[in-house]
């Protein structure tokens, strides 16, 4: 078996597909149009108990079209790039548009916001990984984890994935742009047993560069360590205590903030942060910045899903909300301008503090370290927050024992303002980058 082959079409060829789609849109009578074409391939391998469970190649491509007839809009897509298939897709989008109601906010993003010259963001680092080598990496990762301690009795497996894709976007403003990016990952999850009780946990490493991944042995050992430390878990009585969200969970906590300042939630008046622009939403030491041009970062992009240039900007300065997360449609609904966030945020970074996780534990003294969250009990209109959790009870800044079958509850507005510190342990494995977060007080519901 061979490593995954290069992409079947390069950026120039994809630009030609976009150009044809836009030309066909003009012939169909569209007053404006946009097209995005993508092509990608990858390899994924998973093993469990040393045996190969899956070995998958994928090779996908697609063209998405949006045509505007005045303020009426129609969408269509196809995975067939032949000229006749593109014409059919354009005809379908035109037919849809002619039967839709006019929307005064519909249309392309403003021409002056299109990305012009943009930097090479160092996103493309293919991994010439042979399937046999991928299998051995996964086996090594799992074997390391299983060999750490005799209490590790079972495994949910280890996996290796590599992905490479190119996207090209163009519209009738005359803008066409594209880039190629990669993402590689290695993960492992194992199960430990003690006194008849079982616990599981996992770990993973992800990067655009294979050379920057943690080794298979490092991932396996960390998965084992995290699993073993959860054994002999206890329950807690209901109480109000400080909590620390471990860095990978803190990313989700900040994600709730992003969700509350998205344009769609705001113009629908479905956000607990409605009308908070210019108001303090975090303590004064908090700084949150979008950094879309970090070389090689997983969230970097030169432009958003509408061709709008991405820019470095502050969302929170000294705790005060400076801006929203808007695409052109939601911006028009709000009487504002797009922030270049069609498709999401790009490397939203919470400024790290000076203390690592151990330092935050010492600062907290007594409380709860949360390492797992369960369920989605969040009301984005009111900010009410209630989720199942597991983690560790902490006393005198030290982990005392693992806890499970608890619920943590509060209101996100209060929780944001109750942030005491952000850790230096920045987790950069996604679009939101943050360290662990210490919050002054939440309700922990457990045994009566």
């Amino acid at each position: 078996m061979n490593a995954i082959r290069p992409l079947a079409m390069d950026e120039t060829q994809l630009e030609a597909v976009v150009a044809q789609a836009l030309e066909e849109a003009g012939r169909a009578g569209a007053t404006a149009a946009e097209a995005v074409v993508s092509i990608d391939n990858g390899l994924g391998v998973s093993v469990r108990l040393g045996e190969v469970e899956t070995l998958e190649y994928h090779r996908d491509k697609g063209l998405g079209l949006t045509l505007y007839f005045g303020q009426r809009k129609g969408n269509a897509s196809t995975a067939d790039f032949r000229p006749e298939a593109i014409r059919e897709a354009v005809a379908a989008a035109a037919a849809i548009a002619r039967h839709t109601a006019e929307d005064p906010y519909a249309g392309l993003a403003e021409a002056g916001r299109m990305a012009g010259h943009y930097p090479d963001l160092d996103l493309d680092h293919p991994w010439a990984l042979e399937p046999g080598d991928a299998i051995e990496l996964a086996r090594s990762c799992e074997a390391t984890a299983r060999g750490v301690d005799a209490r590790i009795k079972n495994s949910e497996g280890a996996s290796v994935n590599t992905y490479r894709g190119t996207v090209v976007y163009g519209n009738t403003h005359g803008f066409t742009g594209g880039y190629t990016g990669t993402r590689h990952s290695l993960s492992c999850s194992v199960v430990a047993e003690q006194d008849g009780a079982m616990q599981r946990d996992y770990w993973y490493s992800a990067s655009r560069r294979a050379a920057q991944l943690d080794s298979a042995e490092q991932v396996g050992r960390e998965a084992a360590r995290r699993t073993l430390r959860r054994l002999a878990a206890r329950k807690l009585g209901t109480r109000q205590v400080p909590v620390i969200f471990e860095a990978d969970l803190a990313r989700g906590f900040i994600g709730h903030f992003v969700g509350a300042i998205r344009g769609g939630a705001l113009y629908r008046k479905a956000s607990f942060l409605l009308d908070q622009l210019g108001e303090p939403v975090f303590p004064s030491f908090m700084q949150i910045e979008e950094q879309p041009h970090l070389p090689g970062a997983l969230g970097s992009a030169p432009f958003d899903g509408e061709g709008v240039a991405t820019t470095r900007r502050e969302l929170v300065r000294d705790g005060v909300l400076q801006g929203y997360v808007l695409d052109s449609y939601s911006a028009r609904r709000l009487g504002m301008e797009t922030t270049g966030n069609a498709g999401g945020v790009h490397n939203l970074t919470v400024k790290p503090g000076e203390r690592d996780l151990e330092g935050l534990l010492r600062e907290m003294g007594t409380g709860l370290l949360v390492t797992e969250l369960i369920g989605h009990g969040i009301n984005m209109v009111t900010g009410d927050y209630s989720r199942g959790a597991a983690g560790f009870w902490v006393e005198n800044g030290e982990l005392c024992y693992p806890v499970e079958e608890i619920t943590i509850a509060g209101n996100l507005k209060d929780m944001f303002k109750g942030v005491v510190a952000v850790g230096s342990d920045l987790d950069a494995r996604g679009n939101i980058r943050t360290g662990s977060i210490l919050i002054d007080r939440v309700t922990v519901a457990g045994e009566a």
Side-chain angles (χ1 to χ4, degrees):
M1 291 186 291
N2 298 318
I4 59 173
R5 290 172 290 178
L7 295 170
M9 300 175 71
D10 61 23
E11 192 173 315
T12 301
Q13 292 170 305
L14 297 182
E15 288 174 355
V17 173
V18 167
Q20 183 192 346
L22 296 177
E23 289 170 6
E24 293 291 347
R27 281 193 281 270
T31 55
E34 57 189 336
V36 59
V37 61
S38 63
I39 187 166
D40 59 71
N41 62 27
L43 169 68
V45 169
S46 65
V47 303
R48 181 174 178 272
L49 301 177
E51 299 296 324
V52 177
E53 284 211 319
T54 61
L55 171 58
E56 298 178 341
Y57 293 98
H58 79 259
R59 186 181 293 269
D60 296 324
K61 64 179 183 177
L63 167 66
L65 294 161
T66 302
L67 271 60
Y68 299 92
F69 290 77
Q71 304 301 128
R72 292 173 294 156
K73 180 176 79 170
N75 299 303
S77 62
T78 179
D80 188 342
F81 293 172
R82 292 177 302 159
E84 56 268 32
I86 294 173
R87 282 194 293 272
E88 290 173 2
V90 168
I96 293 169
R98 292 190 177 100
H99 289 87
T100 59
E102 289 198 358
D103 184 339
Y105 305 104
L108 301 176
E110 289 71 21
R113 300 297 301 277
M114 296 296 104
H117 298 289
Y118 45 82
D120 178 1
L121 298 179
D122 193 31
L123 307 181
D124 185 25
H125 298 279
W127 190 5
L129 182 65
E130 299 285 345
D133 294 335
I135 291 168
E136 289 310 308
L137 269 175
R139 281 177 170 158
S140 176
C141 184
E142 184 189 47
T144 298
R146 294 176 64 199
V148 166
D149 192 289
R151 292 172 293 175
I152 295 180
K153 302 291 188 181
N154 208 337
S155 170
E156 293 187 348
S159 63
V160 177
N161 290 275
T162 177
Y163 161 92
R164 186 177 188 228
T166 298
V167 60
V168 172
Y169 169 89
N171 61 34
T172 48
H173 287 323
F175 172 80
T176 301
Y179 57 92
T180 300
T182 53
R183 179 185 173 92
H184 316 296
S185 64
L186 174 61
S187 64
C188 183
S189 176
V190 290
V191 179
E193 182 178 356
Q194 181 175 295
D195 300 327
M198 292 187 293
Q199 296 287 348
R200 61 162 291 282
D201 213 322
Y202 72 98
W203 194 244
Y204 74 99
S205 180
S207 178
R208 291 193 183 274
R209 293 175 179 263
Q212 292 179 348
L213 293 174
D214 293 341
S215 70
E217 292 73 23
Q218 287 174 308
V219 173
R221 282 193 296 269
E222 182 63 10
R225 183 190 73 84
R226 294 176 65 87
T227 301
L228 291 166
R229 69 179 186 168
R230 294 183 61 167
L231 290 169
R234 308 181 196 177
K235 299 177 183 178
L236 287 176
T238 298
R239 62 194 72 184
Q240 285 194 328
V241 295
V243 300
I244 295 173
F245 287 122
E246 210 172 29
D248 57 332
L249 299 184
R251 185 166 58 236
F253 177 67
I254 297 300
H256 301 320
F257 163 69
V258 175
I261 61 170
R262 283 189 189 278
L266 294 169
Y267 76 71
R268 294 185 182 96
K269 301 189 183 301
S271 168
F272 63 92
L273 291 182
L274 195 65
D275 299 324
Q276 292 298 296
L277 197 63
E279 298 295 327
V281 294
F282 286 99
S284 60
F285 68 86
M286 285 282 286
Q287 319 290 336
I288 302 179
E289 186 176 57
E290 190 173 17
Q291 303 172 324
H293 297 167
L294 293 177
L298 288 170
S300 294
F303 53 84
D304 75 353
E306 297 178 308
V308 174
T310 53
T311 58
R312 184 169 183 162
R313 68 188 185 103
E314 293 177 304
L315 272 80
V316 173
R317 183 198 309 141
D318 301 332
V320 176
L321 182 62
Q322 303 294 313
Y324 294 142
V325 174
L326 308 176
D327 58 13
S328 63
Y329 183 83
S330 61
R332 293 184 191 115
R333 292 290 302 253
L334 294 166
M336 305 178 79
E337 293 188 1
T338 177
T339 58
N341 291 116
V345 295
H346 307 95
N347 298 325
L348 192 75
T349 304
V350 181
K351 185 178 179 180
E354 297 180 354
R355 298 179 180 87
D356 59 10
L357 177 57
E358 287 70 25
L360 291 187
L361 291 170
R362 289 192 294 271
E363 181 173 356
M364 179 173 69
T366 297
L368 180 69
L369 171 64
V370 180
T371 60
E372 182 180 19
L373 290 167
I374 304 161
H376 301 280
I378 300 160
N379 186 324
M380 293 301 291
V381 177
T382 64
D384 289 339
Y385 180 99
S386 179
R387 299 186 68 183
F392 296 86
W393 184 247
V394 178
E395 292 182 2
N396 298 318
E398 300 288 340
L399 302 185
C400 289
Y401 51 83
V403 296
E404 62 181 359
E405 297 182 23
I406 58 174
T407 298
I408 58 174
N411 184 278
L412 283 168
K413 229 175 171 180
D414 298 331
M415 292 167 73
F416 291 160
K417 289 186 177 179
V419 172
V420 175
V422 178
S424 61
D425 54 334
L426 186 77
D427 187 337
R429 294 176 296 177
N431 279 339
I432 296 176
R433 301 152 55 93
T434 180
S436 299
I437 292 179
L438 169 61
I439 300 170
D440 61 356
R441 189 167 298 271
V442 302
T443 298
V444 177
E447 295 178 321

